[in-house]
Amino acid sequence: MYKVYFNRNLVLFPAQAPTDGTRTWVDPDPQTLRKVVADCFDKGKAKIAFLSTTGEDLQKIFDSFFRHIPAGGGIVRHEPSGRILMIRRQGRWDLPKGWREAGETDRENALREVREETGTEGLSIVAPVGITRHAYLLEGQWAIKHTAWFAMQTRQNTTCPQREEGIERVEWLDRHGVEQALNDTFPNIREILETYLALYPLP
């Protein structure tokens, strides 16, 4: 399902009407769609769905409002300890990620960003984990960052935070530390971490 995080709000484009209390707009016109999106930037903590019964491609209209930024990131496990590499940024736990450069593949992008932001070497990709999308204001323009996430591993544990990117520190967290981090992170990071942990449980 196509979903985009806006701070604490979540926008969905489901195939069927949700039954869990999600605020749902059925067949909104473009002006209504744009107004609801604008409100997501300013306030609230809501789960919102846009549903078409006419076959109109609401997601395409929604996407036209934004600049789209491809990005990549990694969830790195240290072998053999099983600890997970996380960074501290903007006072919250986060995962290393960043914009894709011209000519890069998603995998190259993710590996480079993890190396640059954390100083970690000896990385190898295990498998793709998923894609998250979050909306934000970029130089006054609406933008969505589409981040392709990969499970990675390394046997090295040296780290060095990329402070020019606002990274305060880099840490290897055990299962207890990761569980605590899930309560002190961004919604899109929580989602991809939970997806990863379902695939690769921690010892």
Side-chain angles (χ1 to χ4, degrees):
M1 182 192 307
Y2 193 85
K3 60 176 73 172
V4 181
Y5 287 95
F6 292 71
N7 299 319
R8 295 182 300 168
N9 296 301
L10 175 60
V11 169
L12 309 169
F13 290 85
Q16 297 181 337
T19 58
D20 60 356
T22 298
R23 296 171 60 187
T24 303
W25 273 261
V26 179
D27 299 325
D29 59 55
Q31 288 184 329
T32 300
L33 185 58
R34 190 178 184 91
K35 182 181 183 304
V36 175
V37 169
D39 287 344
C40 287
F41 279 108
D42 296 330
K43 62 193 175 193
K45 183 181 180 181
K47 191 174 177 183
I48 298 165
F50 294 112
L51 187 68
S52 173
T53 63
T54 65
E56 186 170 23
D57 194 340
L58 296 177
Q59 181 186 320
K60 184 176 181 179
I61 296 171
F62 170 86
D63 278 343
S64 72
F65 301 152
F66 296 88
R67 174 181 174 185
H68 295 269
I69 310 295
I75 306 167
V76 184
R77 185 178 298 219
H78 178 255
E79 297 295 346
S81 73
R83 291 175 181 254
I84 298 297
L85 186 69
M86 295 197 69
I87 61 177
R88 193 77 179 173
R89 177 159 43 194
Q90 298 178 10
R92 302 178 79 176
W93 289 108
D94 201 350
L95 291 167
K97 63 187 180 301
W99 290 22
R100 191 175 70 204
E101 295 183 353
E104 283 187 322
T105 66
D106 287 341
R107 288 171 175 254
E108 291 168 342
N109 172 202
L111 286 167
R112 176 183 55 76
E113 285 293 340
V114 172
R115 283 194 300 267
E116 290 179 355
E117 292 200 341
T118 69
T120 304
E121 297 290 346
L123 297 163
S124 62
I125 288 179
V126 177
V129 178
I131 295 174
T132 61
R133 301 173 183 87
H134 74 274
Y136 62 108
L137 291 175
L138 178 63
E139 299 174 346
Q141 181 182 359
W142 291 3
I144 295 176
K145 182 184 286 186
H146 303 252
T147 305
W149 294 97
F150 294 88
M152 301 180 185
Q153 63 184 14
T154 181
R155 300 189 71 85
Q156 300 184 28
N157 58 12
T158 302
T159 61
C160 180
Q162 190 179 25
R163 299 197 185 278
E164 59 267 33
E165 289 294 326
I167 299 171
E168 301 154 21
R169 65 182 194 268
V170 180
E171 292 192 18
W172 293 100
L173 301 182
D174 60 14
R175 183 174 62 179
H176 178 68
V178 171
E179 289 171 353
Q180 289 186 314
L182 285 169
N183 295 316
D184 185 24
T185 190
F186 306 94
N188 57 316
I189 299 299
R190 182 182 304 112
E191 176 185 299
I192 201 65
L193 259 178
E194 288 175 343
T195 299
Y196 171 88
L197 293 171
L199 295 169
Y200 308 102
L202 294 180

